[in-house]
Amino acid sequence: MGDNDTKDLPPPYYSVAVDPQTPPMTYEEVICQDRYGVAQKTVPYYVQKDPAQVQVSAVIVTQRVVAPPKRQESCGRSGKCWGGWGGALFLLFLIGLAIWLGVRYGSKSYSTYYEDSCKGKDCNEDSCKGKDCNESEDHHETHDDKKGSDICSNSTIQCDGIKNCQQGSDETNCVRFGEGGKLQVRTAEDGRFLPVCNQGMDKSYADQICEQLGFRRSYASSTMNIEMPAALTLRSRSAKPIQGLVNVSSSCLDNSGVSLKCTDCGKQQSDSRIIGGTSSKLGQWPWQVSLHFNGPHVCGGSLISPDFVVSAAHCFQSSMANSGNWRVYVGTISQYTLQTPLLVKKIMVNENYSSNTNDYDIALLKLTSPVAFSNTIQPVCLPAFDQTFSNGLECRTSGFGTTQEGADHSSTTLMDVAVNVIDTLECNSNQVYRGAITKNMMCAGDMNGGRDSCQGDSGGPLMCKGDDERWYLAGITSWGAGCGQRQKPGVYSRVTSLLPWIYSTMQQEKP
């Protein structure tokens, strides 16, 4: 990472790997011209240098481009497809029949995305260097389809404290935290999120709520002033989840509500100020993790609890989805001084992730054993659902990615750089990303270029300091056109938009 003064061009996100214990790696690449007029390295192929011969290793990097592809014809006007006109008419008949059957009997809706082997780039046969760029069809279920895939009883009521679905989806997304840790619970009566009165709250109750959400225990609970026309009062404790243990009330005694924190998070152990793209100090970003796939560093991530790491979905596509091939390194700022790795029990990729648009680019890794926190290993804070990161706010992004666009080695030391939040309207303008930024994304960097994340930083944190002097995970390094280019800032998954998925997934996979 770097800025224009240091001439180090920073980071969005193809994972570039380096292993200090193995021979140097180089790569060949497919170059495509994207919709933003920027040449992108879409699929680096890493090649092991051997004294006797150069042998292709394996594709260990996941592409993270988002430009929706231009639909291409798989044959020309006069080309022979499906055996000529007869085959074409037969194909049309089959398509018509399928559509009729879908309308007549279908119960699910599907969104269809067209991808070529350049994965979302507007590239022709020449730019793909002989790769097969013929059109293919990939079906992705919509968000509602996935939620509906759980088997539920006819009497299901969401957030009533009674599990009516096999996977418990009816009792997830029932708890959230507002600014200051304000505890809010969704009522089964009308679906509103209401604050919880402090009367009756104690340490065991606080622990139960945090355990429900996938944390080991609570860190602290306190009182805070709330003024709302309705609130929730606590009943006696039982094994039910919190949403089944509250009653709707007109107010709280003395307007006293619950502020709850499940982790002691977002605290730096080193407060040395690092300016634009230089090496980080040990303990400065203690939640930063380095994710290794079959040896080398591939992606970054952030520790959010003793058992869970949040990263980017695009890091775990295809053959890289096997949890047994990943190793998680925490509490390190150098690839030369790695400690004993943590193992991954399960990888949960957001079910709505689209490799075409990089929307919902988020994944959770559940570790096989909990992390022991220390001065150099700490979790980052998840933001409140209503927390805002305003335009121009200076935040930081960190990672082991390359310090120059196109470099074939990632950094051996942890780097960080200051970036500014960029308004979505500006980032979606025709001069920048032309409408590709969704509600689940945010932009940060420098519109003049030079301060950015880059290859190998995927999945790492975009963190912003709150008024309480703690650091919050505002974004997850996702994609971008080039690295540090003018009017092409980094794009990050917006964590506030994805909080329901994070908490629901943690709850379903809790230790």
Side-chain angles (χ1 to χ4, degrees), residues 259-300:
S259 170
L260 177 63
K261 297 182 184 298
C262 293
T263 58
D264 185 13
C265 58
K267 297 193 305 183
Q268 290 178 304
Q269 302 303 311
S270 169
D271 58 0
S272 301
R273 183 167 176 79
I274 306 298
I275 305 298
T278 55
S279 299
S280 303
K281 302 298 183 183
L282 189 63
Q284 189 177 12
W285 311 116
W287 41 84
Q288 173 79 50
V289 305
S290 174
L291 301 178
H292 289 221
F293 181 78
N294 283 340
H297 167 84
V298 172
C299 281

mmCIF file of all heavy atoms in Angstrom, residues 259-300:
data_model
loop_
_atom_site.group_PDB
_atom_site.id
_atom_site.type_symbol
_atom_site.label_atom_id
_atom_site.label_comp_id
_atom_site.label_asym_id
_atom_site.label_seq_id
_atom_site.Cartn_x
_atom_site.Cartn_y
_atom_site.Cartn_z
ATOM 1 N N SER A 259 -27.759 -1.249 27.293
ATOM 2 C CA SER A 259 -26.627 -1.164 26.374
ATOM 3 C C SER A 259 -25.784 -2.414 26.589
ATOM 4 O O SER A 259 -25.354 -2.692 27.714
ATOM 5 C CB SER A 259 -25.794 0.084 26.652
ATOM 6 O OG SER A 259 -24.575 0.043 25.917
ATOM 7 N N LEU A 260 -25.580 -3.183 25.520
ATOM 8 C CA LEU A 260 -24.905 -4.481 25.658
ATOM 9 C C LEU A 260 -23.762 -4.595 24.655
ATOM 10 O O LEU A 260 -23.921 -4.275 23.481
ATOM 11 C CB LEU A 260 -25.907 -5.619 25.439
ATOM 12 C CG LEU A 260 -25.361 -7.051 25.472
ATOM 13 C CD1 LEU A 260 -24.781 -7.379 26.843
ATOM 14 C CD2 LEU A 260 -26.459 -8.051 25.112
ATOM 15 N N LYS A 261 -22.616 -5.059 25.127
ATOM 16 C CA LYS A 261 -21.462 -5.329 24.267
ATOM 17 C C LYS A 261 -21.035 -6.773 24.487
ATOM 18 O O LYS A 261 -20.836 -7.207 25.629
ATOM 19 C CB LYS A 261 -20.308 -4.374 24.570
ATOM 20 C CG LYS A 261 -20.641 -2.902 24.307
ATOM 21 C CD LYS A 261 -19.437 -2.009 24.574
ATOM 22 C CE LYS A 261 -19.804 -0.532 24.417
ATOM 23 N NZ LYS A 261 -20.244 -0.209 23.049
ATOM 24 N N CYS A 262 -20.896 -7.516 23.391
ATOM 25 C CA CYS A 262 -20.531 -8.931 23.491
ATOM 26 C C CYS A 262 -19.025 -9.160 23.440
ATOM 27 O O CYS A 262 -18.551 -10.235 23.806
ATOM 28 C CB CYS A 262 -21.214 -9.729 22.385
ATOM 29 S SG CYS A 262 -23.017 -9.818 22.545
ATOM 30 N N THR A 263 -18.255 -8.164 22.974
ATOM 31 C CA THR A 263 -16.800 -8.292 22.934
ATOM 32 C C THR A 263 -16.145 -6.981 23.333
ATOM 33 O O THR A 263 -16.716 -5.907 23.136
ATOM 34 C CB THR A 263 -16.295 -8.675 21.522
ATOM 35 O OG1 THR A 263 -16.732 -7.673 20.583
ATOM 36 C CG2 THR A 263 -16.797 -10.034 21.088
ATOM 37 N N ASP A 264 -14.960 -7.107 23.876
ATOM 38 C CA ASP A 264 -14.114 -5.946 24.131
ATOM 39 C C ASP A 264 -13.307 -5.744 22.856
ATOM 40 O O ASP A 264 -12.263 -6.364 22.661
ATOM 41 C CB ASP A 264 -13.205 -6.212 25.328
ATOM 42 C CG ASP A 264 -12.385 -5.002 25.711
ATOM 43 O OD1 ASP A 264 -12.687 -3.902 25.221
ATOM 44 O OD2 ASP A 264 -11.418 -5.163 26.479
ATOM 45 N N CYS A 265 -13.801 -4.899 21.977
ATOM 46 C CA CYS A 265 -13.317 -4.889 20.593
ATOM 47 C C CYS A 265 -12.730 -3.546 20.181
ATOM 48 O O CYS A 265 -12.904 -2.536 20.857
ATOM 49 C CB CYS A 265 -14.472 -5.238 19.649
ATOM 50 S SG CYS A 265 -15.875 -4.092 19.819
ATOM 51 N N GLY A 266 -12.030 -3.580 19.037
ATOM 52 C CA GLY A 266 -11.608 -2.360 18.367
ATOM 53 C C GLY A 266 -10.552 -1.553 19.078
ATOM 54 O O GLY A 266 -10.405 -0.355 18.805
ATOM 55 N N LYS A 267 -9.785 -2.187 19.964
ATOM 56 C CA LYS A 267 -8.766 -1.452 20.716
ATOM 57 C C LYS A 267 -7.379 -1.742 20.154
ATOM 58 O O LYS A 267 -6.970 -2.897 20.049
ATOM 59 C CB LYS A 267 -8.812 -1.829 22.191
ATOM 60 C CG LYS A 267 -10.110 -1.465 22.889
ATOM 61 C CD LYS A 267 -9.992 -1.576 24.397
ATOM 62 C CE LYS A 267 -9.510 -2.934 24.837
ATOM 63 N NZ LYS A 267 -9.473 -3.058 26.315
ATOM 64 N N GLN A 268 -6.665 -0.689 19.790
ATOM 65 C CA GLN A 268 -5.289 -0.834 19.337
ATOM 66 C C GLN A 268 -4.357 -0.949 20.526
ATOM 67 O O GLN A 268 -4.517 -0.268 21.537
ATOM 68 C CB GLN A 268 -4.869 0.376 18.493
ATOM 69 C CG GLN A 268 -5.538 0.457 17.139
ATOM 70 C CD GLN A 268 -5.106 1.712 16.395
ATOM 71 O OE1 GLN A 268 -5.247 2.813 16.901
ATOM 72 N NE2 GLN A 268 -4.589 1.542 15.197
ATOM 73 N N GLN A 269 -3.361 -1.827 20.383
ATOM 74 C CA GLN A 269 -2.338 -1.938 21.409
ATOM 75 C C GLN A 269 -1.131 -1.060 21.093
ATOM 76 O O GLN A 269 -0.280 -0.840 21.930
ATOM 77 C CB GLN A 269 -1.895 -3.402 21.549
ATOM 78 C CG GLN A 269 -3.038 -4.338 21.878
ATOM 79 C CD GLN A 269 -3.780 -3.952 23.142
ATOM 80 O OE1 GLN A 269 -3.169 -3.711 24.176
ATOM 81 N NE2 GLN A 269 -5.106 -3.872 23.055
ATOM 82 N N SER A 270 -1.096 -0.594 19.840
ATOM 83 C CA SER A 270 -0.059 0.356 19.434
ATOM 84 C C SER A 270 -0.761 1.515 18.763
ATOM 85 O O SER A 270 -1.539 1.327 17.837
ATOM 86 C CB SER A 270 0.931 -0.298 18.453
ATOM 87 O OG SER A 270 1.773 0.670 17.868
ATOM 88 N N ASP A 271 -0.507 2.737 19.226
ATOM 89 C CA ASP A 271 -1.200 3.887 18.668
ATOM 90 C C ASP A 271 -0.273 4.764 17.828
ATOM 91 O O ASP A 271 -0.559 5.926 17.583
ATOM 92 C CB ASP A 271 -1.843 4.731 19.772
ATOM 93 C CG ASP A 271 -0.827 5.228 20.788
ATOM 94 O OD1 ASP A 271 0.369 4.916 20.619
ATOM 95 O OD2 ASP A 271 -1.242 5.912 21.745
ATOM 96 N N SER A 272 0.856 4.203 17.403
ATOM 97 C CA SER A 272 1.758 4.959 16.532
ATOM 98 C C SER A 272 1.032 5.318 15.249
ATOM 99 O O SER A 272 0.399 4.476 14.618
ATOM 100 C CB SER A 272 3.008 4.127 16.211
ATOM 101 O OG SER A 272 3.686 3.773 17.400
ATOM 102 N N ARG A 273 1.118 6.556 14.855
ATOM 103 C CA ARG A 273 0.414 6.994 13.659
ATOM 104 C C ARG A 273 1.260 6.662 12.425
ATOM 105 O O ARG A 273 2.402 7.071 12.317
ATOM 106 C CB ARG A 273 0.134 8.500 13.718
ATOM 107 C CG ARG A 273 -0.655 8.980 12.519
ATOM 108 C CD ARG A 273 -1.203 10.371 12.740
ATOM 109 N NE ARG A 273 -1.875 10.874 11.558
ATOM 110 C CZ ARG A 273 -3.093 10.541 11.191
ATOM 111 N NH1 ARG A 273 -3.766 9.683 11.906
ATOM 112 N NH2 ARG A 273 -3.649 11.066 10.113
ATOM 113 N N ILE A 274 0.663 5.893 11.520
ATOM 114 C CA ILE A 274 1.339 5.501 10.284
ATOM 115 C C ILE A 274 0.729 6.288 9.144
ATOM 116 O O ILE A 274 -0.473 6.285 8.941
ATOM 117 C CB ILE A 274 1.183 3.985 10.021
ATOM 118 C CG1 ILE A 274 1.664 3.203 11.252
ATOM 119 C CG2 ILE A 274 1.948 3.572 8.793
ATOM 120 C CD1 ILE A 274 3.101 3.394 11.611
ATOM 121 N N ILE A 275 1.549 6.995 8.390
ATOM 122 C CA ILE A 275 1.058 7.857 7.316
ATOM 123 C C ILE A 275 1.188 7.139 5.983
ATOM 124 O O ILE A 275 2.273 6.694 5.614
ATOM 125 C CB ILE A 275 1.849 9.183 7.273
ATOM 126 C CG1 ILE A 275 1.798 9.870 8.626
ATOM 127 C CG2 ILE A 275 1.299 10.090 6.176
ATOM 128 C CD1 ILE A 275 0.416 10.263 9.082
ATOM 129 N N GLY A 276 0.050 7.033 5.265
ATOM 130 C CA GLY A 276 -0.059 6.583 3.891
ATOM 131 C C GLY A 276 0.839 5.473 3.422
ATOM 132 O O GLY A 276 1.880 5.722 2.838
ATOM 133 N N GLY A 277 0.437 4.269 3.619
ATOM 134 C CA GLY A 277 1.058 3.147 2.938
ATOM 135 C C GLY A 277 2.378 2.700 3.482
ATOM 136 O O GLY A 277 3.277 2.360 2.718
ATOM 137 N N THR A 278 2.564 2.687 4.764
ATOM 138 C CA THR A 278 3.803 2.188 5.326
ATOM 139 C C THR A 278 3.522 1.010 6.245
ATOM 140 O O THR A 278 2.377 0.626 6.467
ATOM 141 C CB THR A 278 4.527 3.303 6.118
ATOM 142 O OG1 THR A 278 3.630 3.809 7.102
ATOM 143 C CG2 THR A 278 4.946 4.420 5.189
ATOM 144 N N SER A 279 4.595 0.426 6.774
ATOM 145 C CA SER A 279 4.460 -0.779 7.573
ATOM 146 C C SER A 279 3.688 -0.513 8.861
ATOM 147 O O SER A 279 3.850 0.525 9.496
ATOM 148 C CB SER A 279 5.848 -1.334 7.914
ATOM 149 O OG SER A 279 6.554 -1.669 6.739
ATOM 150 N N SER A 280 2.863 -1.489 9.236
ATOM 151 C CA SER A 280 2.091 -1.390 10.473
ATOM 152 C C SER A 280 2.938 -1.870 11.644
ATOM 153 O O SER A 280 3.876 -2.659 11.489
ATOM 154 C CB SER A 280 0.832 -2.243 10.371
ATOM 155 O OG SER A 280 0.046 -1.857 9.270
ATOM 156 N N LYS A 281 2.584 -1.393 12.822
ATOM 157 C CA LYS A 281 3.262 -1.814 14.041
ATOM 158 C C LYS A 281 2.541 -3.009 14.652
ATOM 159 O O LYS A 281 1.334 -3.183 14.483
ATOM 160 C CB LYS A 281 3.299 -0.661 15.049
ATOM 161 C CG LYS A 281 3.978 0.604 14.531
ATOM 162 C CD LYS A 281 5.432 0.373 14.195
ATOM 163 C CE LYS A 281 6.100 1.671 13.748
ATOM 164 N NZ LYS A 281 7.510 1.455 13.341
ATOM 165 N N LEU A 282 3.283 -3.827 15.385
ATOM 166 C CA LEU A 282 2.694 -4.980 16.050
ATOM 167 C C LEU A 282 1.651 -4.509 17.044
ATOM 168 O O LEU A 282 1.923 -3.654 17.886
ATOM 169 C CB LEU A 282 3.781 -5.795 16.758
ATOM 170 C CG LEU A 282 3.342 -7.152 17.329
ATOM 171 C CD1 LEU A 282 2.894 -8.077 16.203
ATOM 172 C CD2 LEU A 282 4.479 -7.789 18.119
ATOM 173 N N GLY A 283 0.451 -5.039 16.945
ATOM 174 C CA GLY A 283 -0.639 -4.662 17.821
ATOM 175 C C GLY A 283 -1.444 -3.483 17.331
ATOM 176 O O GLY A 283 -2.422 -3.093 17.971
ATOM 177 N N GLN A 284 -1.055 -2.908 16.171
ATOM 178 C CA GLN A 284 -1.802 -1.755 15.667
ATOM 179 C C GLN A 284 -3.140 -2.164 15.082
ATOM 180 O O GLN A 284 -4.149 -1.479 15.281
ATOM 181 C CB GLN A 284 -0.982 -1.020 14.611
ATOM 182 C CG GLN A 284 -1.609 0.305 14.205
ATOM 183 C CD GLN A 284 -0.758 1.058 13.213
ATOM 184 O OE1 GLN A 284 0.191 0.516 12.663
ATOM 185 N NE2 GLN A 284 -1.092 2.312 12.976
ATOM 186 N N TRP A 285 -3.156 -3.263 14.355
ATOM 187 C CA TRP A 285 -4.406 -3.790 13.793
ATOM 188 C C TRP A 285 -4.528 -5.255 14.235
ATOM 189 O O TRP A 285 -4.383 -6.176 13.428
ATOM 190 C CB TRP A 285 -4.408 -3.672 12.272
ATOM 191 C CG TRP A 285 -4.008 -2.305 11.785
ATOM 192 C CD1 TRP A 285 -2.905 -1.994 11.038
ATOM 193 C CD2 TRP A 285 -4.703 -1.068 12.010
ATOM 194 N NE1 TRP A 285 -2.866 -0.639 10.796
ATOM 195 C CE2 TRP A 285 -3.958 -0.044 11.375
ATOM 196 C CE3 TRP A 285 -5.874 -0.736 12.684
ATOM 197 C CZ2 TRP A 285 -4.353 1.292 11.399
ATOM 198 C CZ3 TRP A 285 -6.273 0.591 12.711
ATOM 199 C CH2 TRP A 285 -5.521 1.581 12.078
ATOM 200 N N PRO A 286 -4.797 -5.484 15.518
ATOM 201 C CA PRO A 286 -4.718 -6.845 16.077
ATOM 202 C C PRO A 286 -5.797 -7.799 15.594
ATOM 203 O O PRO A 286 -5.765 -8.984 15.930
ATOM 204 C CB PRO A 286 -4.826 -6.601 17.590
ATOM 205 C CG PRO A 286 -5.568 -5.308 17.722
ATOM 206 C CD PRO A 286 -5.141 -4.485 16.539
ATOM 207 N N TRP A 287 -6.769 -7.299 14.830
ATOM 208 C CA TRP A 287 -7.820 -8.160 14.271
ATOM 209 C C TRP A 287 -7.490 -8.627 12.850
ATOM 210 O O TRP A 287 -8.186 -9.464 12.297
ATOM 211 C CB TRP A 287 -9.151 -7.402 14.245
ATOM 212 C CG TRP A 287 -8.984 -5.969 13.819
ATOM 213 C CD1 TRP A 287 -8.916 -5.472 12.545
ATOM 214 C CD2 TRP A 287 -8.823 -4.846 14.697
ATOM 215 N NE1 TRP A 287 -8.728 -4.114 12.570
ATOM 216 C CE2 TRP A 287 -8.675 -3.695 13.882
ATOM 217 C CE3 TRP A 287 -8.808 -4.704 16.084
ATOM 218 C CZ2 TRP A 287 -8.504 -2.424 14.415
ATOM 219 C CZ3 TRP A 287 -8.633 -3.440 16.610
ATOM 220 C CH2 TRP A 287 -8.487 -2.315 15.783
ATOM 221 N N GLN A 288 -6.439 -8.087 12.255
ATOM 222 C CA GLN A 288 -6.051 -8.469 10.892
ATOM 223 C C GLN A 288 -5.581 -9.918 10.876
ATOM 224 O O GLN A 288 -4.754 -10.335 11.698
ATOM 225 C CB GLN A 288 -4.922 -7.577 10.386
ATOM 226 C CG GLN A 288 -4.329 -7.994 9.043
ATOM 227 C CD GLN A 288 -5.180 -7.575 7.861
ATOM 228 O OE1 GLN A 288 -5.577 -6.418 7.765
ATOM 229 N NE2 GLN A 288 -5.429 -8.501 6.955
ATOM 230 N N VAL A 289 -6.100 -10.710 9.948
ATOM 231 C CA VAL A 289 -5.635 -12.083 9.770
ATOM 232 C C VAL A 289 -5.107 -12.263 8.358
ATOM 233 O O VAL A 289 -5.471 -11.533 7.434
ATOM 234 C CB VAL A 289 -6.748 -13.118 10.053
ATOM 235 C CG1 VAL A 289 -7.345 -12.912 11.431
ATOM 236 C CG2 VAL A 289 -7.824 -13.060 8.998
ATOM 237 N N SER A 290 -4.227 -13.224 8.217
ATOM 238 C CA SER A 290 -3.691 -13.616 6.912
ATOM 239 C C SER A 290 -4.203 -15.014 6.598
ATOM 240 O O SER A 290 -3.994 -15.947 7.382
ATOM 241 C CB SER A 290 -2.159 -13.605 6.931
ATOM 242 O OG SER A 290 -1.620 -14.123 5.724
ATOM 243 N N LEU A 291 -4.910 -15.155 5.485
ATOM 244 C CA LEU A 291 -5.498 -16.431 5.092
ATOM 245 C C LEU A 291 -4.618 -17.086 4.032
ATOM 246 O O LEU A 291 -4.386 -16.504 2.971
ATOM 247 C CB LEU A 291 -6.914 -16.221 4.558
ATOM 248 C CG LEU A 291 -7.897 -15.556 5.530
ATOM 249 C CD1 LEU A 291 -9.256 -15.368 4.853
ATOM 250 C CD2 LEU A 291 -8.035 -16.356 6.801
ATOM 251 N N HIS A 292 -4.148 -18.288 4.329
ATOM 252 C CA HIS A 292 -3.270 -19.027 3.421
ATOM 253 C C HIS A 292 -4.030 -20.214 2.834
ATOM 254 O O HIS A 292 -4.703 -20.947 3.551
ATOM 255 C CB HIS A 292 -2.037 -19.534 4.160
ATOM 256 C CG HIS A 292 -1.070 -18.455 4.545
ATOM 257 N ND1 HIS A 292 0.287 -18.611 4.435
ATOM 258 C CD2 HIS A 292 -1.271 -17.198 5.019
ATOM 259 C CE1 HIS A 292 0.893 -17.502 4.840
ATOM 260 N NE2 HIS A 292 -0.036 -16.629 5.206
ATOM 261 N N PHE A 293 -3.877 -20.384 1.533
ATOM 262 C CA PHE A 293 -4.504 -21.510 0.851
ATOM 263 C C PHE A 293 -3.410 -22.424 0.308
ATOM 264 O O PHE A 293 -2.627 -22.026 -0.551
ATOM 265 C CB PHE A 293 -5.387 -21.018 -0.298
ATOM 266 C CG PHE A 293 -6.090 -22.131 -1.046
ATOM 267 C CD1 PHE A 293 -7.223 -22.731 -0.513
ATOM 268 C CD2 PHE A 293 -5.605 -22.589 -2.270
ATOM 269 C CE1 PHE A 293 -7.869 -23.748 -1.200
ATOM 270 C CE2 PHE A 293 -6.243 -23.597 -2.950
ATOM 271 C CZ PHE A 293 -7.378 -24.192 -2.423
ATOM 272 N N ASN A 294 -3.334 -23.646 0.842
ATOM 273 C CA ASN A 294 -2.312 -24.615 0.435
ATOM 274 C C ASN A 294 -0.908 -24.016 0.475
ATOM 275 O O ASN A 294 -0.086 -24.269 -0.405
ATOM 276 C CB ASN A 294 -2.602 -25.155 -0.967
ATOM 277 C CG ASN A 294 -3.717 -26.181 -0.961
ATOM 278 O OD1 ASN A 294 -4.035 -26.758 0.077
ATOM 279 N ND2 ASN A 294 -4.333 -26.408 -2.116
ATOM 280 N N GLY A 295 -0.641 -23.203 1.469
ATOM 281 C CA GLY A 295 0.712 -22.658 1.621
ATOM 282 C C GLY A 295 0.784 -21.153 1.650
ATOM 283 O O GLY A 295 1.009 -20.544 2.695
ATOM 284 N N PRO A 296 0.583 -20.483 0.494
ATOM 285 C CA PRO A 296 0.824 -19.040 0.439
ATOM 286 C C PRO A 296 -0.337 -18.190 0.955
ATOM 287 O O PRO A 296 -1.478 -18.640 1.034
ATOM 288 C CB PRO A 296 1.029 -18.782 -1.066
ATOM 289 C CG PRO A 296 1.029 -20.110 -1.727
ATOM 290 C CD PRO A 296 0.329 -21.059 -0.821
ATOM 291 N N HIS A 297 -0.010 -16.935 1.255
ATOM 292 C CA HIS A 297 -1.037 -15.944 1.577
ATOM 293 C C HIS A 297 -1.864 -15.676 0.328
ATOM 294 O O HIS A 297 -1.335 -15.458 -0.761
ATOM 295 C CB HIS A 297 -0.384 -14.641 2.043
ATOM 296 C CG HIS A 297 -1.338 -13.491 2.100
ATOM 297 N ND1 HIS A 297 -2.160 -13.243 3.192
ATOM 298 C CD2 HIS A 297 -1.642 -12.530 1.182
ATOM 299 C CE1 HIS A 297 -2.902 -12.180 2.944
ATOM 300 N NE2 HIS A 297 -2.618 -11.728 1.734
ATOM 301 N N VAL A 298 -3.182 -15.661 0.502
ATOM 302 C CA VAL A 298 -4.094 -15.432 -0.614
ATOM 303 C C VAL A 298 -5.031 -14.262 -0.343
ATOM 304 O O VAL A 298 -5.245 -13.420 -1.200
ATOM 305 C CB VAL A 298 -4.913 -16.712 -0.937
ATOM 306 C CG1 VAL A 298 -5.991 -16.420 -1.956
ATOM 307 C CG2 VAL A 298 -3.997 -17.807 -1.453
ATOM 308 N N CYS A 299 -5.602 -14.215 0.851
ATOM 309 C CA CYS A 299 -6.574 -13.175 1.183
ATOM 310 C C CYS A 299 -6.384 -12.722 2.624
ATOM 311 O O CYS A 299 -5.666 -13.352 3.405
ATOM 312 C CB CYS A 299 -8.012 -13.688 1.004
ATOM 313 S SG CYS A 299 -8.597 -13.731 -0.709
ATOM 314 N N GLY A 300 -7.046 -11.627 2.948
ATOM 315 C CA GLY A 300 -7.066 -11.136 4.312
ATOM 316 C C GLY A 300 -8.395 -11.413 4.969
ATOM 317 O O GLY A 300 -9.321 -11.966 4.356
#
